[in-house]
Amino acid sequence: ESEMRIRTDGRWYHQGGEITRPAMVRAFASLLMRDGTGQHGHDTPHEKLSIEVEDAAFMAIDVKQESGALAFRLNTDDLVLAGPDNPIVARGDADCPALYVSVRHGTEARLNRSTYGQLIEIALASGDLSVTSQGETFPLVPA
């Protein structure tokens, strides 16, 4: 047990205190993985440490449409291009939908409210509630 937790709003905690140094969060985030059971953690050559994640490990805080791709900026300042390797997934229901983009090593980023709105505007400009990135089309309505 690592005594680390990632809250729904994307803030990282260790032993109950918030990790406020962006460089520390980026360092921990670069090692983060999610296994087939949905458990998040850090795997090192010496040990495996679990990390409690309330919803998604990352927050997508901005999106830009460039050259046929959707580029998401994360709260860790990473850039993720949606596409075959990083799909966009709609969860929840029509009354309370949530959008996620795959990041790396099984982890995901939940789109924050403003990024969700940006993506809906992109979808509406194309005439329906789906978006295309790197040749893949992603519905924005939960199934």
Side-chain angles (χ1 to χ4, degrees):
E1 174 63 43
S2 68
E3 298 185 53
M4 292 181 78
R5 180 170 51 106
I6 304 172
R7 292 191 38 172
T8 302
D9 62 8
R11 291 185 293 165
W12 287 59
Y13 289 81
H14 182 253
Q15 296 180 335
E18 184 176 359
I19 302 172
T20 57
R21 292 181 49 206
M24 287 288 276
V25 171
R26 282 192 300 274
F28 287 129
S30 70
L31 300 171
L32 189 63
M33 303 174 80
R34 185 174 72 175
D35 65 21
T37 67
Q39 178 63 48
H40 289 80
H42 289 146
D43 282 338
T44 70
H46 305 289
E47 61 189 339
K48 180 178 181 171
L49 299 172
S50 66
I51 296 175
E52 178 188 344
V53 177
E54 291 181 355
D55 183 15
F58 303 98
M59 290 294 295
I61 59 172
D62 192 26
V63 63
K64 300 279 188 233
Q65 191 173 29
E66 301 172 350
S67 305
L70 294 168
F72 290 89
R73 171 95 35 216
L74 305 184
N75 59 321
T76 54
D77 210 32
D78 290 304
L79 193 63
V80 175
L81 296 178
D85 295 330
N86 302 93
I88 299 169
V89 178
R91 294 201 184 102
D93 56 40
D95 293 328
C96 190
L99 296 175
Y100 299 83
V101 62
S102 176
V103 177
R104 63 179 167 267
H105 308 299
T107 62
E108 293 179 315
R110 182 172 179 162
L111 278 61
N112 70 4
R113 187 177 187 93
S114 63
T115 307
Y116 181 100
Q118 289 173 291
L119 198 61
I120 294 296
E121 286 182 24
I122 292 168
L124 291 174
S126 68
D128 65 6
L129 285 178
S130 66
V131 293
T132 301
S133 183
Q134 297 189 56
E136 293 285 320
T137 300
F138 305 101
L140 302 183
V141 178

